[in-house]
Amino acid sequence: MRGYLPVLKASWERVGVSLGLLLGLSVGVGFSIPAIAQSGNSPSPNAASQAGQEPPDSEQRTLEPVAFLPDFPQGNLAAWAGLRVVRVQFEGVPASTLQPLPDQLAQQPDKPLDPAKIRDSLRRLYATGLYQTIQVAGFREGGGITLVFSGDPRLFIRRVNVAGVNNDRLAAVLQSSTQLEPGTRYSPSRVTEANAALAEALQNNGYYKGKVAGSTSIDEPDSLVDLNYNVTTGPSARVGDIHIQGNSGLTEREFRKRAKLKRNSKVTRDTINRALTRLRKNYVKKERLAATISVTSKQYAAAQNRLNFDFLAQEGPIVTVRVEGAKISKGQIQKLVPVYEEGTVDLDLLNEGAQNLRSYYQSQGYFDVQVAHRPVRTDPQHVTVLYTVNLGALHVVDSVQVTGNAYFSRALIDQRISVRPADLVDRHGSFSQQLMNQDAGNIKALYESNGFSHATVTPKVIDLGRGHEGSGKLAHLKVIYQIQEGVQQRIGKYQIMGATDAQIAEFKPYLNTEPGQPYSAVNIDDDRDLVLTYYLRHGYDNAEINLFQEAEEGHEDLVDVTMNVTQGHQFFVRKI
């Protein structure tokens, strides 16, 4: 006797929330489930036909259809639960395509039917990404049940072919513009967007009369789609009229010459960028650093196959950069103040220039140098950026000392110190506030990576003043790095939870952390990244690694570390 088991199929409007709870999926998935009265009554006898199945006649039906939904009454599910599943079949997406997943599903043949395992199996199957929609049905066979998982296969893009273009670079640009990547999901809406993107890419490359004809080729056994585009570029558009708004300081003839926008010249993908770059360089050469230039619009004249441009250009005032209070060459100013390189003037660039000047003078031995800047406008056409430099005393670093270090040798710490005393090669030594703070951070990082989590490094500068050691012209400095090491912490217990013994045996030899060694947050983070990489490389795309660290009770110098692994499902390559 064969009986009909439920088909999980209906509309999101009715049971969208419940289905989300059932399958753990977000709204929009193409699942459906038949309407079931919430009063507890069984569905109507024609529910199977409404779900797309041929219902058996009334004499052969032994049970009413029942949907496996926690929010709906269970009906006759109790009569089905526990019956032996004779076999599990797959339609729409064949079992060979799903391998090795069928053998890993929760609901297996020769096992009792379990609604919870049916739900889990549906989740696993849909998570493969191979289904557009999915449903499960079952039939009684004697004292057992045959389950059938069926659904519409999801199509994937195999190749994107662009033909009819002799220029390899242009063909690559057109193919890239589609944003259609092999191996990704195929959808008609994406193809429509790709067609528009191709037309736009042709125009951006100067082909306003280009045409694109597209077609698809479907490989049904493998659910793959080839997208074929035949492109006819037509003739390149030509440069037409130019309209200039604003005070550019250039005639139309000069503007065209500087921008290389000769009338009737070909329009290419580089035409606009090249024109703007050349115009900006022209303004910088004239010290018009505040100049602005942009394209406001483009109009294509189809009859003449010409592209007309509207520009907005303001040459702005002549900007001069001056340094007062210290000697420096003009070439050095242009190198240190980035307004020349960037071709524009703003506060960030001026502040960066002040920092570069400060570092430059500190490298000359003026460790206390101060640099300020302000704009000075003499008339509407002239602006001067004035940097005022107060050099201060010319210093020399007499010595660099380290105190409080017991665990590490001075030689090891010196490798992390950039501040240097004066010697025959550098008669002033090397010093700046930035370098000193950087050194303190490097020394602290050394201690932290070796278990000294509470170590502190305090840099201190002692100004010995002028006339020290017989020199009346130089001011002398002494730099001291004061270290407080604190208590060294070590690894106590190191546990890895959620991984199998075989997995741990594979990745454990590559871990950086072991019980008893100095505690290092960096090493532990590296271990987490290493273990996560291991799972990702083995197909666990949704794997998560969480770390828990706490001081061992009664032993404040020991830190217990627990790494919790949540593997998630393992995914496999279907076909190459």
Side-chain angles (χ1 to χ4, degrees):
M1 181 73 68
R2 294 187 61 176
Y4 172 77
L5 183 74
V7 176
L8 297 185
K9 197 170 186 183
S11 67
W12 273 99
E13 289 75 16
R14 292 186 212 139
V15 291
V17 176
S18 297
L19 191 57
L21 295 174
L22 168 64
L23 300 176
L25 300 172
S26 59
V27 174
V29 173
F31 280 99
S32 51
I33 293 182
I36 299 178
Q38 297 195 32
S39 63
N41 299 328
S42 300
S44 60
N46 65 346
S49 61
Q50 292 175 359
Q53 299 285 340
E54 278 298 327
D57 58 19
S58 57
E59 297 179 355
Q60 293 177 325
R61 293 185 66 195
T62 59
L63 291 175
E64 295 290 343
V66 179
F68 299 143
L69 277 177
D71 292 349
F72 284 79
Q74 296 299 304
N76 294 326
L77 180 59
W80 290 73
L83 294 179
R84 186 175 69 91
V85 176
V86 178
R87 64 179 60 86
V88 178
Q89 300 176 349
F90 300 90
E91 296 178 355
V93 178
S96 59
T97 300
L98 295 168
Q99 289 295 342
L101 183 58
D103 293 335
Q104 300 177 358
L105 294 178
Q107 182 65 69
Q108 290 291 318
D110 295 324
K111 299 292 183 181
L113 186 146
D114 186 336
K117 292 182 178 180
I118 291 289
R119 290 194 292 268
D120 184 80
S121 298
L122 280 171
R123 279 196 299 267
R124 292 292 306 274
L125 288 168
Y126 191 81
T128 63
L130 300 176
Y131 289 93
Q132 188 73 22
T133 61
I134 189 171
Q135 59 191 19
V136 61
F139 302 95
R140 289 290 299 273
E141 291 192 10
I145 298 172
T146 294
L147 290 178
V148 180
F149 291 96
S150 62
D152 297 327
R154 176 172 291 174
L155 298 178
F156 295 87
I157 298 172
R158 178 168 58 186
R159 298 186 186 91
V160 179
N161 303 312
V162 176
V165 181
N166 296 327
N167 188 316
D168 291 340
R169 183 197 60 78
L170 179 58
V173 169
L174 294 176
Q175 186 174 29
S176 177
S177 70
T178 65
Q179 298 293 307
L180 298 173
E181 296 292 336
T184 58
R185 178 183 175 183
Y186 166 83
S187 70
S189 62
R190 291 187 63 197
V191 174
T192 301
E193 294 173 358
N195 294 341
L198 270 171
E200 183 179 357
L202 280 172
Q203 292 182 5
N204 290 337
N205 284 268
Y207 299 102
Y208 279 77
K209 292 191 174 183
K211 296 181 180 180
V212 179
S215 63
T216 59
S217 175
I218 300 178
D219 180 357
E220 292 186 359
D222 291 328
S223 301
L224 297 174
V225 180
D226 290 340
L227 301 173
N228 305 304
Y229 292 98
N230 188 30
V231 178
T232 304
T233 61
S236 296
R238 303 285 174 162
V239 175
D241 298 332
I242 291 180
H243 301 285
I244 308 168
Q245 297 177 337
N247 183 18
S248 67
L250 300 170
T251 65
E252 181 180 337
R253 180 178 179 181
E254 291 173 333
F255 194 95
R256 284 183 180 272
K257 182 178 180 181
R258 297 285 184 263
K260 285 197 172 181
L261 292 175
K262 185 179 178 181
R263 185 180 293 275
N264 291 327
S265 60
K266 284 185 178 181
V267 175
T268 69
R269 66 192 300 262
D270 298 322
T271 297
I272 296 300
N273 289 335
R274 182 184 61 191
L276 294 177
T277 299
R278 290 178 61 85
L279 288 167
R280 290 191 184 102
K281 287 183 177 180
N282 176 72
Y283 285 126
V284 171
K285 187 177 180 180
K286 295 180 178 180
E287 295 189 325
R288 303 278 183 176
L289 302 180
T292 58
I293 177 70
S294 63
V295 177
T296 57
S297 67
K298 297 182 292 183
Q299 307 93 32
Y300 176 65
Q304 296 83 24
N305 192 28
R306 288 182 178 177
L307 193 61
N308 303 321
F309 299 92
D310 289 339
F311 287 88
L312 176 61
Q314 298 287 353
E315 65 175 353
I318 296 176
V319 179
T320 304
V321 179
R322 284 174 37 208
V323 175
E324 290 185 352
K327 292 183 178 180
I328 189 171
S329 67
K330 185 175 181 179
Q332 196 69 33
I333 293 175
Q334 293 178 346
K335 180 180 178 182
L336 297 175
V337 182
V339 296
Y340 290 98
E341 181 180 354
E342 299 296 331
T344 187
V345 178
D346 61 43
L347 185 58
D348 289 339
L349 294 177
L350 296 180
N351 289 336
E352 184 179 346
Q355 179 61 45
N356 292 342
L357 287 169
R358 188 178 298 111
S359 299
Y360 169 77
Y361 285 114
Q362 285 180 340
S363 69
Q364 306 298 312
Y366 296 96
F367 301 145
D368 295 333
V369 64
Q370 296 179 352
V371 180
H373 64 82
R374 61 187 177 90
V376 179
R377 182 181 290 272
T378 55
D379 59 65
Q381 289 300 315
H382 293 83
V383 174
T384 299
V385 177
L386 180 62
Y387 284 95
T388 304
V389 179
N390 183 3
L391 291 175
L394 184 61
H395 284 76
V396 60
V397 181
D398 285 351
S399 64
V400 178
Q401 301 177 10
V402 178
T403 63
N405 60 305
Y407 189 82
F408 293 111
S409 67
R410 173 62 190 273
L412 184 61
I413 294 176
D414 278 348
Q415 297 176 12
R416 290 156 176 80
I417 296 178
S418 300
V419 175
R420 298 296 180 192
D423 53 27
L424 293 176
V425 177
D426 188 351
R427 63 194 184 102
H428 298 292
S430 176
F431 172 85
S432 72
Q433 192 69 35
Q434 182 180 0
L435 284 178
M436 187 173 63
N437 293 336
Q438 179 179 310
D439 292 346
N442 292 339
I443 297 171
K444 182 177 176 63
L446 172 65
Y447 274 93
E448 288 180 341
S449 64
N450 285 272
F452 295 91
S453 302
H454 304 293
T456 61
V457 181
T458 306
K460 185 177 181 180
V461 179
I462 300 177
D463 193 338
L464 302 176
R466 297 177 184 272
H468 183 69
E469 295 183 357
S471 174
K473 296 182 179 180
L474 299 177
H476 296 260
L477 295 180
K478 180 167 66 174
V479 181
I480 302 175
Y481 295 96
Q482 297 175 337
I483 300 173
Q484 291 183 342
E485 295 181 338
V487 178
Q488 185 183 31
Q489 294 179 304
R490 294 183 176 274
I491 301 296
K493 300 174 184 176
Y494 191 21
Q495 303 180 77
I496 301 175
M497 312 296 292
T500 66
D501 292 340
Q503 292 169 342
I504 294 175
E506 286 189 54
F507 61 70
K508 189 174 183 180
Y510 302 99
L511 299 181
N512 302 294
T513 306
E514 293 181 358
Q517 76 177 37
Y519 169 81
S520 170
V522 174
N523 287 344
I524 294 174
D525 287 342
D526 288 345
D527 284 354
R528 176 183 57 193
D529 294 342
L530 187 149
V531 173
L532 181 58
T533 301
Y534 167 85
Y535 280 100
L536 292 177
R537 293 182 62 182
H538 286 77
Y540 296 91
D541 285 359
N542 300 318
E544 295 182 3
I545 312 295
N546 295 308
L547 291 173
F548 297 92
Q549 307 173 55
E550 60 181 357
E552 190 170 303
E553 187 175 355
H555 299 85
E556 295 298 326
D557 59 333
L558 294 178
V559 179
D560 294 339
V561 179
T562 302
M563 182 184 296
N564 285 336
V565 178
T566 304
Q567 299 183 18
H569 293 304
Q570 189 176 22
F571 295 88
F572 296 87
V573 176
R574 177 165 67 96
K575 187 175 182 180
I576 298 179

